[in-house]
Amino acid sequence: MLARLRPLLWMAPWLVGFMVFFAYPLVATVYFSFFNYDLFTLKFNGLDNWRYFFQDERAWIAMKNTAWLVVVMVPATVLFALGIAQLLTKLKAGVGFFRTLFYLPSLVPVTAGTVAFVYLLNPATGPVNNLLAKIGISGPDWFGDKDWSKPGLTLLAMWSCTNLMVIFLAALLDVPKHLYEAAAIDGAGAWRQFRSITLPTIRPVLMFTAVTGVIYTLQYFTQAMIAARVASGVTDAPGSTFVPGYPEMSTLTLPQWLFQAGFRDYAMGYACVLALVLFAVSMVFTLILLRQFRGFEEVSG
């Protein structure tokens, strides 16, 4: 009997953590999604919260914006980090200096970095638009135009992707050098070596960065909230109100709308519905990515 219980004893810390921090919150979220719950009163309302979700225009706008960020921001960030890491592997002098220089953005607090980025992209006084004007290009109103706000957030994500860069740099430095030497002897160029040697070798790292990037972007909150607030000029003065999504709901993400519903409107039951939708979308994207990478491995294998 003791021998059978021993594996459970070894697994007990994980099981307790799983039950307390995942299973119970998930079950409780499903439970509260069928109630009108404002943190003080609990009243069963059946499927009303779910019906309201399908009629909530802002929820669908938030889902559309979040999907845009996943489809555009994640690939752009991953490819940019991979390109910087590849560049650092080719440097012959000053390697330590440039590695430190490229890593500095990760040391900047998210709030400070976002505020600084909004200033840099300010259409009137920002240095980016002023520099573009000197070469004859009229810069856009980055965080004041609904068509440019999400590209602005994408540039911010690319600027702060240094943690991904470090991961890719470690993976690239781990690729056996003799494979490149053999390929060069056979006449393979730089692109052929990258496609046939580098990519297959670092595929597990690519999968990791893609999956974690999708999960992180589906939970995208702080940067979009701060950028919208700073660009809108709304302060925390008494009587002022700020609704996420400025300008014109273009930066509204699903986590922001979940926060608004739960902690501003005190509609915790509906917030639970949004949380479950976010969880389901995360699972779908993750499974799709894992299946795609598995398919690539089968083809290459």
Side-chain angles (χ1 to χ4, degrees):
M1 186 65 180
L2 182 59
R4 294 181 179 179
L5 292 177
R6 186 173 298 168
L8 291 177
L9 293 176
W10 285 107
M11 294 174 61
W14 180 87
L15 290 173
V16 172
F18 176 81
M19 296 298 296
V20 173
F21 297 108
F22 181 80
Y24 171 74
L26 181 60
V27 173
T29 303
V30 174
Y31 174 79
F32 287 122
S33 68
F34 298 105
F35 286 83
N36 183 7
Y37 181 42
D38 62 359
L39 297 179
F40 297 101
T41 60
L42 188 65
K43 182 179 179 181
F44 180 77
N45 61 3
L47 297 175
D48 287 353
N49 289 328
W50 291 93
R51 294 191 188 98
Y52 181 74
F53 167 74
F54 289 104
Q55 300 172 3
D56 187 1
E57 182 180 357
R58 290 194 177 185
W60 290 99
I61 293 174
M63 291 183 65
K64 181 181 177 181
N65 292 335
T66 304
W68 190 99
L69 294 175
V70 169
V71 173
V72 177
M73 179 187 290
V74 174
T77 305
V78 170
L79 291 176
F80 184 73
L82 178 59
I84 296 298
Q86 184 75 9
L87 177 64
L88 289 175
T89 61
K90 303 299 182 182
L91 294 177
K92 302 299 182 182
V95 177
F97 170 77
F98 284 105
R99 288 181 183 177
T100 304
L101 181 65
F102 282 117
Y103 186 71
L104 286 179
S106 66
L107 303 179
V108 179
V110 173
T111 302
T114 305
V115 172
F117 214 80
V118 174
Y119 164 74
L120 291 174
L121 297 180
N122 186 288
T125 60
V128 174
N129 277 15
N130 290 337
L131 181 62
L132 292 175
K134 291 182 179 180
I135 58 177
I137 299 177
S138 179
D141 185 1
W142 292 95
F143 291 105
D145 187 339
K146 64 182 180 65
D147 295 325
W148 285 97
S149 56
K150 288 190 285 293
L153 291 175
T154 302
L155 290 177
L156 173 59
M158 294 170 64
W159 172 76
S160 58
C161 69
T162 51
N163 287 326
L164 291 181
M165 180 205 69
V166 171
I167 295 174
F168 279 126
L169 183 61
L172 291 172
L173 293 176
D174 199 40
V175 179
K177 295 294 188 294
H178 67 271
L179 296 179
Y180 293 118
E181 296 171 356
I185 294 174
D186 291 337
W191 170 246
R192 179 67 178 180
Q193 293 180 28
F194 179 77
R195 185 166 60 90
S196 301
I197 298 175
T198 306
L199 283 182
T201 305
I202 68 171
R203 184 175 289 117
V205 177
L206 275 173
M207 181 183 71
F208 171 78
T209 55
V211 171
T212 55
V214 167
I215 294 174
Y216 170 78
T217 306
L218 287 171
Q219 301 173 9
Y220 199 69
F221 180 91
T222 305
Q223 292 89 332
M225 178 73 81
I226 294 174
R229 178 181 284 273
V230 174
S232 67
V234 176
T235 64
D236 289 325
S240 64
T241 58
F242 172 75
V243 179
Y246 179 87
E248 300 180 41
M249 299 295 110
S250 61
T251 60
L252 180 66
T253 61
L254 195 54
Q256 289 185 70
W257 192 234
L258 190 159
F259 174 83
Q260 180 74 21
F263 298 100
R264 294 288 177 84
D265 300 335
Y266 298 105
M268 293 301 296
Y270 182 59
C272 289
V273 171
L274 295 175
L276 292 172
V277 171
L278 182 61
F279 174 74
V281 172
S282 301
M283 290 294 294
V284 169
F285 271 105
T286 302
L287 291 175
I288 290 175
L289 282 174
L290 292 176
R291 185 170 182 176
Q292 290 295 325
F293 275 101
R294 190 178 295 114
F296 292 150
E297 290 179 356
E298 292 175 355
V299 171
S300 61

